[in-house]
Amino acid sequence: MQQIKFFKATEADLSALEAEMNDWLRDSGAKVVQVFGNIAPQTVVPEDGSHGLTKSAFAPSDVLMAVVYEPNGG
């Protein structure tokens, strides 16, 4: 039976998100059916700072990844 697993991070932590997903995939032995994701719209930060990958006045956006999979063995 297919199941779903969600992973969440910010755009500033994409390397950690990638590592978390790869670790889970390797350790679970799951058969991946589909991977999809979404990045939330950015909001302006009140102070003049730079944030995220764009080094702009926007806060880092939330990134949500979903993996549809079949558990190991079935």
Side-chain angles (χ1 to χ4, degrees):
M1 176 163 86
Q2 292 182 352
Q3 297 184 8
I4 191 164
K5 171 110 174 123
F6 292 103
F7 297 89
K8 181 180 176 253
T10 65
E11 67 173 328
D13 296 325
L14 291 179
S15 294
L17 176 62
E18 180 181 356
E20 179 185 0
M21 291 179 71
N22 284 328
D23 289 346
W24 178 80
L25 288 166
R26 182 180 51 256
D27 295 344
S28 70
K31 177 184 173 192
V32 175
V33 176
Q34 182 179 12
V35 177
F36 56 96
N38 188 52
I39 186 165
Q42 297 176 330
T43 54
V44 176
V45 177
E47 68 275 357
D48 291 328
S50 64
H51 305 277
L53 298 175
T54 59
K55 302 296 182 201
S56 68
F58 293 96
S61 294
D62 288 332
V63 176
L64 177 70
M65 297 297 297
V67 179
V68 179
Y69 69 98
E70 293 178 2
N72 187 13

